Amino acid sequence: MKKNKSRQHRAPAKSKKRAKRQQGFRRMEPLETRSMLAGDLLSAVHNDFQPLDVNADGQFNQMDVDTLLSNLRSKKAAQRSLIEGEQTLYLDVDNDGILTNRDLLAAIDALSIEGEAASTDFSVDVDLRIVPDSGSPAAEGGSTSIGVNEYFTLEIYITDTSSTPSGIDQAYVDVLFDSTLFAMDQPISSAITLGPGFSGPAGGTVPNNVTPYGAFHGNTDASFVEPGVLKYIGGFSAQNPTATRLLASIRLRSIAETDMSGTDFSVLIQDYTLPGNDMNDTVSSFNQENRDGDIDTDENLNATYLNGSGTAEIVRFVGGSVNLVVQAQQENGANFDAYDVNEDFFGDDESSTPPKVTINDVEYYVLDVLANDRDGNGNLVMGDRSRFNIDSVTQPAEGNVIIQENAQSVPEIAALMGVDSHEVLLYQVPDGLGGLAENFQYTMTDSGMTDNAGTTTAGVYVFINEVNQPVELIEDPFEVEVESGIESDVIDIMDNVLPGEDSDTPTFVGFFDINGDVLDASDLQGTFTPVLDDMDQPTGEFTYISNTPGLVESIIYRVDDGSGQITEGTITFTTQFNSLLSGVVFFDVDRDGNVDDNAGTNASPEARIGGVTVQLLDGSTVIETTTTDSQGAYSFSGFDEGTYSVRVIDPRFLIKGYTTTGGFTVTGNTISGITVGNGQGGQYTGLNFGYFGRQAQYIGFGDSIGSNTENSIVLAFSKSGGTTNLEWFAVDMGWDRLVRIRPEYAYLDPATGSAQIAFEVSVDGVEEPQFVVQAFSPSTPGYRIVANTSEGMIIRINGSASQVMTNLAAVDAAFANM
């Protein structure tokens, strides 16, 4: 079964969508025609001068595609500036005001035709020639005739027609033809032979090719098999003569008639005007894809290299065609039959050839071979063919054939138009095999002849078309999660659709209820609002809102592949519970179980403890883990109905204090029995874990020495096996901009006490915190080793964040113009 692997139609897999909207966003009224708003999706700027130049560097290349991909993945605001030179990104390739997968696909499509122009001095001519086993040969531009079921050879010649010929280093050619009329009976390795002086990969004698009948390299090339195209026909050249050379010979057999005008074999040449060059400077090439399926933009994309041309350059190709007329030569007795079937039965109806039937839940094609057979005088026997009898049949390699006697007594066959023989062959399609050509023989006896002269043999050829793949769904069901009472962003379901075939242009059909009927507002508890076009037809875009926490409901959508095949998918809406469990981890200095800000007193607020691990459990299973921020705060939200527990991993070197349970059960370091459900969101705050202070061996004289202010930060490192880990940290005054410290980027040398810390700090105008990496040593002003044991080390840094983080000014400067 064909699976389209074209890079141009592949997109990164999407993860589960969380369709959330900020609380303050104005909700649209239901059922109105909508336009995209800047806040709905990733707003983007369009480059009016050169739409594909995303990074405004004056050229279009792989960097532009990578920029689009990284922005799609990061899901950050697209309309922004880069630090380097304040350069604006032009991410809106298709000029619809937003950044979507369509912008990425448009760039990939365009990149696939990019290459470097070669000098007009270089050119190559490709000629085709047909040599029948019997009959006259035909050269380029000519025509010849053969009968059905006859063999012939297609020869490909190539000539260096450059202004100064230098010979050919390697050549690969693609040839177009009607693959329903011809077959390749032999294995590819023997049916296709290279011309003298040419060799296959790694110098071997085997041709490196892909045909409609399979790929020589099996699974490696399976994605390149395409009906009607002989691809990668050619090889490397050990010789470089400038005269015309035979590139390859291809052995084929005719399996069906043409009309009197015949059919062409043509060299496939693709002309492109390259970006950045003279618009009149057109180059030509074969095989735009590499054998691994990628487009190599570092090299040219042509398949023919010339000796002495220097780098591999795209040359100017001239290619011709040759014509072949195939006409049946009727014989007395059994005659050759050819059938063109569809592996998946798509498109077949009562008038199709051959017709299909379902007998005992098995689908067969009905092959009425007797209708093509003739009596001893060469006449078709019309009407009553009872004097003809099918005696035997050989089995093909893939399908299965049975002789159906008394065919007209089988209701399914008797109902078929045009099938009136008393015996037929029933052919069962091999499962999952598209692009298959196979043959078998049958024997027929004409009882009107004597002395066994009436028994003759004929061949039957079955060409099984490639499956017409419907569109593919990236994610099914397509999951949309919303917060209760908050309308989703505008979502385009067509972003979840990929073409099944290169030629497919998917179109949206409509939304339906879960039973497939027309969708009505009463079918859903939530409010589903389709976005309509100017004709009040749904576009595939929609929004959704629900006020019921825990609600899960679904609808169906349908997409047409452009050729009548409808693909059906499911959209599942899940309304998250407004669940929230939050609290702080802190130093409970007065041991009262309360987090005291000490407002209106001379005392400092009770310090919060950052970098502490807190876990959310469902039963004994940890379902989410977080760490406290610089204010000692943690939270878990958006989880489903159930009974949960919150567990703190007690920070080392501290004395256990009181836990604020919120009325739930507390055992050791775990608060349990927290229920969410029954239509309630389940919001519980103030689940706090207190600690009385540091253990005695981790309190030192350095806690206060040299500090005459309350501005400071304390960091606790554990030591084990020569390595250190940041266990927790606590800030006092002057550290409001600190968000967190990343323990994986915190390093301490236990021998010298020197450290490197990666602080994450907030920056005005920037959503995500920024890194400030700072190195310290015992000689750094304000840096104190408070306590040092075999298990841990406590560091105190006196001063505010702006004093301690000398690199903070550079970060602020970088974002000063935001």
Side-chain angles (χ1 to χ4, degrees), residues 354-523:
K356 67 177 177 67
V357 294
T358 300
I359 302 175
N360 297 326
D361 296 326
V362 179
E363 288 186 312
Y364 298 97
Y365 280 102
V366 179
L367 310 183
D368 189 2
V369 294
L370 295 181
N372 193 38
D373 294 339
R374 297 173 180 263
D375 63 17
N377 297 318
N379 300 313
L380 288 170
V381 177
M382 307 301 291
D384 183 13
R385 300 192 181 98
S386 60
R387 61 183 285 184
F388 290 179
N389 292 287
I390 302 174
D391 297 317
S392 64
V393 62
T394 63
Q395 290 298 324
E398 299 290 348
N400 181 55
V401 182
I402 60 175
I403 301 172
Q404 178 62 61
E405 299 177 348
N406 301 317
Q408 298 306 314
S409 66
V410 179
E412 293 85 353
I413 298 176
L416 296 175
M417 296 293 294
V419 177
D420 50 11
S421 297
H422 68 109
E423 292 182 354
V424 297
L425 298 179
L426 297 181
Y427 178 84
Q428 183 179 356
V429 178
D431 184 34
L433 291 177
L436 176 69
E438 63 174 357
N439 61 87
F440 58 92
Q441 285 75 44
Y442 73 98
T443 60
M444 184 274 292
T445 298
D446 181 353
S447 61
M449 300 180 67
T450 59
D451 300 327
N452 293 323
T455 300
T456 51
T457 301
V460 178
Y461 198 94
V462 178
F463 183 87
I464 304 173
N465 290 326
E466 295 284 356
V467 176
N468 184 9
Q469 287 292 106
V471 298
E472 299 180 48
L473 304 181
I474 298 173
E475 182 182 315
D476 191 43
F478 184 87
E479 299 184 2
V480 177
E481 294 183 354
V482 297
E483 295 182 14
S484 177
I486 301 178
E487 187 180 48
S488 71
D489 290 330
V490 175
I491 298 172
D492 189 352
I493 196 61
M494 294 300 288
D495 287 339
N496 192 49
V497 175
L498 293 176
E501 308 282 340
D502 289 337
S503 59
D504 282 354
T505 303
T507 57
F508 180 72
V509 176
F511 297 109
F512 304 87
D513 66 19
I514 200 62
N515 298 316
D517 299 324
V518 176
L519 184 64
D520 185 82
S522 62
D523 294 323

Side-chain angles (χ1 to χ4, degrees), residues 53 62 105 131 331-332 335 421 475 553 634 644 646 652:
D53 184 11
Q62 184 65 39
L105 294 177
V131 182
E331 299 178 356
N332 297 346
N335 272 268
S421 297
E475 182 182 315
E553 53 186 0
Y634 75 90
Y644 299 91
V646 176
R652 301 185 64 178

Side-chain angles (χ1 to χ4, degrees), residues 300-379:
N300 296 296
L301 304 177
N302 67 298
T304 300
Y305 297 165
L306 299 177
N307 185 34
S309 65
T311 58
E313 295 179 289
I314 296 182
V315 298
R316 273 66 182 170
F317 292 98
V318 177
S321 64
V322 65
N323 182 267
L324 182 61
V325 179
V326 182
Q327 293 296 311
Q329 298 174 354
Q330 301 295 344
E331 299 178 356
N332 297 346
N335 272 268
F336 181 81
D337 292 83
Y339 295 93
D340 183 15
V341 305
N342 290 291
E343 187 267 357
D344 60 352
F345 293 98
F346 173 71
D348 283 358
D349 54 32
E350 293 181 357
S351 62
S352 63
T353 302
K356 67 177 177 67
V357 294
T358 300
I359 302 175
N360 297 326
D361 296 326
V362 179
E363 288 186 312
Y364 298 97
Y365 280 102
V366 179
L367 310 183
D368 189 2
V369 294
L370 295 181
N372 193 38
D373 294 339
R374 297 173 180 263
D375 63 17
N377 297 318
N379 300 313

Side-chain angles (χ1 to χ4, degrees), residues 608-611 629-630 713-715 728-731 738 740-741:
R608 315 296 178 86
I609 308 174
D629 61 15
S630 64
I713 183 172
V714 176
L715 303 100
W728 54 266
F729 64 94
V731 297
L738 179 64
R740 66 180 61 84
I741 297 176

Side-chain angles (χ1 to χ4, degrees), residues 81-88 817:
S81 298
L82 300 177
I83 298 175
E84 297 84 355
E86 298 301 317
Q87 182 187 53
T88 298
N817 295 326

